[in-house]
Amino acid sequence: MRKFALTAIAAAFALTAFTGGAAKAAGEGPVPEAQEWSWHGLFGTYDRAQLQRGFQVYKNICAGCHSLRFIAFRNLEGIGFNEDQIKAIAAEYDIEDGPNDDGDMFTRPGIASDYFPSPFPNSKAAAASNGGAIPPDLSLMAKARMHGPDYIVALMTGYEEEAPEGFDLADGKYYNHYFPGHQISMAPPLYDEAVEYTDGTPMTLEQHAHDVAAFLNWTAQPELEARKSLGWKVMLFLIVLTVMLYAVKRKIWRDVEH
Amino acid sequence: MSAPVWNNKVVKWVDDRLPVFSMLHHSAYEYPTPKNLSYMWNFGSLAGFVLVTMILSGIFLAMNYTPHADMAFWSVERIMRDVNYGWLIRYIHMNGASMFFICVYIHIFRGLYYGSYKAPREMLWWIGILILLAMMATAFMGYVLPWGQMSFWGATVITNLFTAFPVVGESIVQLLWGGFSVANPTLNRFFSLHYLMPFVILGLVVLHVWALHTVRSNNPTGVEIKTPQDAIAFHPYYTIKDLFGMGVFLIFFLFFVFFAPDFFGEPDNYIPANPLVTPPHIVPEWYFLPFYAILRSIDFSVFGVPAKLLGVLAMFASIIILFVIPWLDTSKVRSSKYRPVYKWFFLILFIDCFILGYCGKKAPDDYFMGIEGLKVITVGQLATLYYFAHFLVVMPLVGKLERPKPLPASISQSVLKEGANA
Amino acid sequence: MSQSVQSSGEHQPDENRRDFLTLATTAVGVVGAGCALLPFVDSMNPSKDVLALASVEVNISNIPVGQAIKVMWRGKPVFIRHRTEREITEAEEVSLNELVDPQTDASRVEKKEWLIVVGVCTHLGCIPMGTATGEPRGDYDGWYCPCHGSHYDSSGRIRKGPAPANLVVPEYTFVSDTTVKIG
């Protein structure tokens, strides 16, 4: 009996492991290279300096076309900005508000509780300015794509100057090794020294890509640090409780022939 | 069985008017439970525990969720970002759905292996299948609520199954949608029903436990309790065993919640629903994959019945068939432990379900596990064939032809014998 | 039912043997269950976006003397009254002994001519009348709550009726002579 059960369990695990792995690998486009991230592992946390650099990349480059509509300025506390810095960042943006007493909409400088404004008033306008392709919102990008931040890095660095021989690249499209179908409407957004870092970090394309991917992972999972830190405490507690329950179980059952 | 005598006056006063304490006492101390239950018997109470967890977390999520097509996605993100511990409650609910199905599937396979569906437990088994059906409906509607791409397209594809029925199909689907496509009215009613269904499940669980207490637990030998030595009181023996199992299970469950919360999910559901674009790969949640594979494996028509309708019928039949297995199984022996031939067929069925799951996940024209020339659809068809053959052919035939091993005289005897061997 | 269970037999655990291990496990389990409920309860508290709600800035330049306006702040009305000389004098001259909830008028205003209070009756949460012209202002030239008959004076203090306390003064600052920022 025991042997039979073990066979069944082994078969189940082997199948899940194998089919699971195979299924994951079968997505469109090549599998992006796995990167080292500071938040990996049971105790991983975000690197605040990296998130701030990533924010700088988003603000100076991506924000031209991509919205970040689930993020409010007040959320930037999570990447290490203090209240005054947040106020200053918010004030750089024009926010539409209203109607005022005359019934008109007006713009005012942003405040902490405002959300990042979209670069386009609506999706039609976004499509019209981008050759029909709507630049997606970036707030959840790291969760909405297979391989999340690894994919973002791969996409940012996966442009080729020219499409491979025989590849029929449509007008106004760019060849990207990692984009499903390889034809992407977004021009290569990042390049060496695209953004000026002040903390001495090398301003390479590679570095920019990593930083913005880290930032977008934070916008997608701002709860990650709270989740992991609560997580291992809960795990520890449960392990202790379960061991105790097992001891009680042994004690209660010790006189029973079973 | 005499009613217990209560010494505490308050307890007695209440019990004389509403015998709750007698009932608890009856089910905890007087309810005879076989003493040889293995850990496979933990999954019923675990499923009950997950049901309660789902209802609790669901109630708190509903306090912050907005069932409107324009706001549903946003309100879920608000739960994740702004509501205190909203991320925890949502991740518990999200992973809890998977955990519920894990428990229930193990529970079902346990029942299949040990013949728990056989007389006199047919009603118990039927109510269990009804619970599974209710769970599937609940899970499906719940998955629609975040209003992501997978929510929207899952809802579209699954509701469109009903268009397969001739004549009435179109009207049924419009009735389900409340319009001409999946849209705000659909979301709104799914929310209403998703809130209702768990309480229907709860009611069915009460009936399930009632039936269980009438016919008693089966056990690994499949031999009924014959003497008092075969049984022990549920409390404290099985309460502590269930609690220990719960501890182990919680470690497993919460590991996903805290460290891999999106493991069971699909990335596309973090993209807001867009009625103009279908995601390149739409797959149902893992717990529906085997059924999805059965649906897709019928790509041919028979006697003029179109493939689409056949597929839908096959999918429903794959569950409905479970209702009649108490009569399809002709063996006199309950437990597969004493059925040297059938138990290998059981193993094949078990693996078959995983293969079906794999086929449900992959595109039909992919190659099965990368094997050149072997298409997923073909393997899915063979696996579907075996699934039905197992119940319709193997069960009746093997039951008749196989020579079972000798059964132990009683539960106690089996326990002693195994103890001697160890 | 012919079978009875062994609960009274040799396997019944002795109640006295509820030893340290069982007690400790129970305690740990109960504490764990309690802690597990906290996040659920806490989820009902105001969420971060609610707490971050902006303060409001109100232009008060077009409120004539003797009139008042209502503005929304954190989901509640705030009364802003441009008080007349007579109302100010009345409010200042009341002796504190006469008051249910003794507070000087000076402690309730930043600028004498402007009274700013949260427009929620401290009894059971109705909105008192007396802000719009023509509404009853009660016996003390302030506000009158129609639900249970509380009278507030021209400083928003409770004078008569069931309400236990004065109308609440919100946190506010004058950004300029014509603009006040509440919150």
Side-chain angles (χ1 to χ4, degrees):
Chain A
M1 173 58 212
R2 193 143 288 180
K3 214 193 278 170
F4 180 77
L6 286 177
T7 322
I9 292 165
F13 269 98
L15 273 164
T16 343
F18 190 63
T19 57
K24 285 253 152 92
E28 276 190 57
V31 177
E33 192 188 331
Q35 310 286 338
E36 285 282 325
W37 296 110
S38 64
W39 62 81
H40 275 177
L42 248 54
F43 307 101
T45 54
Y46 286 123
D47 171 355
R48 295 287 184 284
Q50 183 177 38
L51 296 186
Q52 295 192 9
R53 292 196 303 269
F55 170 58
Q56 207 186 337
V57 176
Y58 167 75
K59 199 174 121 190
N60 293 322
I61 311 255
C62 320
C65 299
H66 292 276
S67 57
L68 197 64
R69 63 198 185 101
F70 293 106
I71 307 299
F73 297 114
R74 65 185 159 84
N75 295 138
L76 294 177
E77 198 192 335
I79 64 172
F81 286 120
N82 64 30
E83 223 184 304
D84 293 331
Q85 288 170 309
I86 290 171
K87 276 185 183 165
I89 292 167
E92 292 172 25
Y93 289 81
D94 285 330
I95 305 290
E96 188 176 37
D97 201 349
N100 63 13
D101 293 346
D102 300 323
D104 299 323
M105 301 304 278
F106 59 94
T107 55
R108 56 163 175 78
I111 54 173
S113 61
D114 288 321
Y115 285 79
F116 276 89
S118 294
F120 300 104
N122 52 57
S123 57
K124 296 267 191 224
S129 320
N130 291 282
I134 302 172
D137 184 82
L138 295 186
S139 319
L140 283 161
M141 201 42 83
K143 266 166 136 182
R145 293 291 181 276
M146 198 72 99
H147 307 289
D150 294 344
Y151 171 74
I152 296 173
V153 171
L155 190 78
M156 292 296 104
T157 56
Y159 282 92
E160 310 279 348
E161 289 280 331
E162 267 171 46
E165 198 108 350
F167 189 91
D168 194 11
L169 194 66
D171 252 3
K173 299 273 183 183
Y174 302 86
Y175 187 89
N176 191 302
H177 187 57
Y178 289 97
F179 190 72
H182 303 305
Q183 304 201 52
I184 188 166
S185 302
M186 174 169 66
L190 298 180
Y191 41 89
D192 288 345
E193 294 176 30
V195 174
E196 194 165 325
Y197 289 153
T198 50
D199 62 355
T201 310
M203 294 175 277
T204 59
L205 161 65
E206 194 71 17
Q207 187 63 40
H208 290 322
H210 276 82
D211 292 346
V212 80
F215 173 69
L216 292 180
N217 198 67
W218 171 80
T219 62
Q221 313 191 53
E223 88 297 341
L224 181 140
E225 289 181 351
R227 175 156 59 74
K228 289 193 173 177
S229 91
L230 182 60
W232 66 259
K233 286 168 203 145
V234 169
M235 286 296 137
L236 216 59
F237 172 85
L238 279 175
I239 289 168
V240 171
L241 177 64
T242 306
V243 167
M244 289 176 87
L245 284 168
Y246 184 66
V248 176
K249 192 241 156 199
R250 284 284 295 262
K251 189 169 116 16
I252 289 178
W253 278 79
R254 85 186 141 195
D255 297 333
V256 184
E257 198 83 56
H258 66 281
Chain B
M1 222 176 272
S2 60
V5 180
W6 303 106
N7 294 324
N8 184 311
K9 279 198 180 135
V10 179
V11 171
K12 187 175 172 354
W13 188 92
V14 173
D15 204 71
D16 286 346
R17 284 152 185 83
L18 183 72
V20 277
F21 294 101
S22 291
M23 201 180 88
L24 281 177
H25 187 270
H26 172 74
S27 40
Y29 290 104
E30 292 161 18
Y31 173 62
T33 315
K35 63 197 226 177
N36 60 337
L37 299 186
S38 68
Y39 279 105
M40 292 310 275
W41 265 260
N42 276 50
F43 290 92
S45 71
L46 280 178
F49 168 74
V50 181
L51 174 63
V52 172
T53 309
M54 292 302 277
I55 291 180
L56 187 73
S57 52
I59 286 172
F60 283 88
L61 286 177
M63 291 180 191
N64 287 296
Y65 171 75
T66 311
H68 187 285
D70 293 342
M71 288 182 282
F73 193 89
W74 176 273
S75 75
V76 171
E77 278 308 310
R78 210 194 125 246
I79 290 171
M80 295 296 291
R81 293 160 192 274
D82 287 334
V83 173
N84 303 310
Y85 291 104
W87 57 267
L88 175 60
I89 300 172
R90 185 192 175 220
Y91 279 151
I92 287 176
H93 201 73
M94 223 169 101
N95 287 282
S98 287
M99 294 301 143
F100 204 176
F101 277 97
I102 289 175
C103 288
V104 164
Y105 284 155
I106 296 177
H107 192 62
I108 293 172
F109 275 115
R110 191 270 287 152
L112 281 171
Y113 183 79
Y114 292 107
S116 302
Y117 47 85
K118 292 194 191 190
R121 298 190 176 83
E122 301 94 325
M123 284 289 268
L124 180 61
W125 175 253
W126 284 352
I127 298 167
I129 302 167
L130 291 178
I131 292 175
L132 175 66
L133 287 170
M135 275 173 65
M136 291 176 137
T138 314
F140 162 64
M141 289 187 289
Y143 194 60
V144 176
L145 302 185
W147 211 238
Q149 274 289 67
M150 280 293 171
S151 301
F152 183 88
W153 291 102
T156 301
V157 168
I158 300 300
T159 49
N160 263 315
L161 289 181
F162 291 93
T163 59
F165 294 106
V167 190
V168 290
E170 201 63 37
S171 325
I172 293 179
V173 174
Q174 290 193 3
L175 183 83
L176 287 175
W177 288 339
F180 303 104
S181 66
V182 173
N184 188 51
T186 325
L187 175 62
N188 227 306
R189 65 191 55 186
F190 277 16
F191 177 60
S192 167
L193 294 172
H194 181 71
Y195 207 117
L196 168 73
M197 287 302 287
F199 298 98
V200 173
I201 297 177
L202 199 62
L204 288 168
V205 168
V206 170
L207 293 180
H208 197 62
V209 172
W210 185 9
L212 173 72
H213 280 226
T214 309
V215 297
R216 313 252 177 83
S217 293
N218 186 23
N219 66 77
T221 65
V223 176
E224 295 286 337
I225 298 170
K226 289 176 181 158
T227 63
Q229 278 72 41
D230 289 345
I232 43 175
F234 190 85
H235 180 76
Y237 297 104
Y238 285 108
T239 35
I240 186 64
K241 195 171 174 182
D242 281 351
L243 281 173
F244 165 61
M246 211 170 279
V248 175
F249 175 73
L250 268 176
I251 292 173
F252 176 76
F253 179 178
L254 293 182
F255 176 83
F256 285 104
V257 169
F258 286 114
F259 298 106
D262 290 309
F263 179 83
F264 295 105
E266 286 293 328
D268 285 282
N269 223 26
Y270 285 109
I271 304 170
N274 181 355
L276 298 176
V277 182
T278 307
H281 296 287
I282 53 171
V283 280
E285 289 290 81
W286 70 266
Y287 37 81
F288 291 137
L289 289 175
F291 304 102
Y292 193 58
I294 292 176
L295 170 82
R296 286 198 314 197
S297 70
I298 313 288
D299 61 352
F300 46 84
S301 62
V302 178
F303 301 126
V305 182
K308 183 175 170 185
L309 179 57
L310 279 181
V312 174
L313 292 177
M315 188 180 70
F316 285 124
S318 67
I319 297 174
I320 304 302
I321 200 168
L322 297 176
F323 280 103
V324 290
I325 61 166
W327 295 276
L328 290 174
D329 187 349
T330 52
S331 175
K332 300 263 181 300
V333 176
R334 274 202 195 95
S335 171
S336 298
K337 212 171 155 181
Y338 304 101
R339 301 184 60 187
V341 180
Y342 179 74
K343 86 182 196 187
W344 293 107
F345 282 104
F346 172 85
L347 185 64
I348 296 173
L349 175 73
F350 184 70
I351 293 169
D352 190 56
C353 289
F354 278 88
I355 293 175
L356 280 171
Y358 172 86
C359 294
K361 173 111 191 162
K362 307 292 300 237
D365 287 332
D366 283 351
Y367 290 124
F368 182 79
M369 294 186 173
I371 302 167
E372 203 78 22
L374 188 57
K375 286 207 169 165
V376 161
I377 179 91
T378 318
V379 177
Q381 283 167 340
L382 292 173
T384 303
L385 185 69
Y386 181 76
Y387 182 89
F388 286 104
H390 179 89
F391 295 113
L392 295 171
V393 180
V394 173
M395 265 196 170
L397 281 187
V398 174
K400 286 249 193 286
L401 301 175
E402 165 189 59
R403 237 183 81 200
K405 287 195 225 163
L407 291 178
S410 70
I411 292 173
S412 305
Q413 201 218 24
S414 82
V415 166
L416 292 176
K417 226 174 80 192
E418 278 195 5
N421 285 348
Chain C
M1 214 177 287
S2 59
Q3 308 135 345
S4 79
V5 198
Q6 283 187 338
S7 60
S8 51
E10 74 229 74
H11 295 310
Q12 170 79 338
D14 195 325
E15 284 297 312
N16 299 333
R17 277 198 290 166
R18 284 242 163 147
D19 58 338
F20 175 74
L21 179 65
T22 313
L23 275 176
T25 310
T26 313
V28 172
V30 168
V31 168
C35 291
L37 287 178
L38 288 179
F40 290 90
V41 176
D42 193 27
S43 78
M44 293 174 72
N45 276 320
S47 56
K48 290 190 203 101
D49 56 328
V50 171
L51 292 176
L53 264 197
S55 46
V56 282
E57 287 193 8
V58 187
N59 181 354
I60 52 174
S61 61
N62 42 16
I63 307 172
V65 177
Q67 288 194 17
I69 61 161
K70 255 186 226 182
V71 292
M72 279 289 274
W73 175 68
R74 292 189 181 168
K76 290 182 289 195
V78 168
F79 299 152
I80 303 177
R81 174 176 282 191
H82 198 168
R83 298 196 291 188
T84 60
E85 276 307 318
R86 192 171 73 100
E87 286 166 347
I88 296 171
T89 328
E90 272 177 1
E92 284 175 340
E93 282 179 353
V94 182
S95 126
L96 287 184
N97 305 334
E98 285 177 44
L99 297 174
V100 180
D101 180 9
Q103 270 184 320
T104 60
D105 185 58
S107 70
R108 295 174 55 80
V109 292
E110 294 259 323
K111 291 184 180 179
K112 276 185 186 178
E113 54 277 30
W114 295 103
L115 174 68
I116 301 178
V117 288
V118 174
V120 175
C121 180
T122 56
H123 181 218
L124 292 171
C126 295
I127 311 299
M129 303 174 82
T131 304
T133 350
E135 280 183 359
R137 291 189 163 192
D139 297 349
Y140 300 89
D141 281 338
W143 286 273
Y144 169 71
C145 183
C147 292
H148 307 95
S150 293
H151 297 254
Y152 294 92
D153 68 11
S154 54
S155 187
R157 291 171 298 198
I158 179 66
R159 299 295 287 273
K160 197 166 98 180
N166 304 333
L167 293 179
V168 174
V169 178
E171 204 180 296
Y172 66 87
T173 47
F174 283 91
V175 182
S176 69
D177 278 348
T178 58
T179 311
V180 63
K181 184 178 163 209
I182 304 170

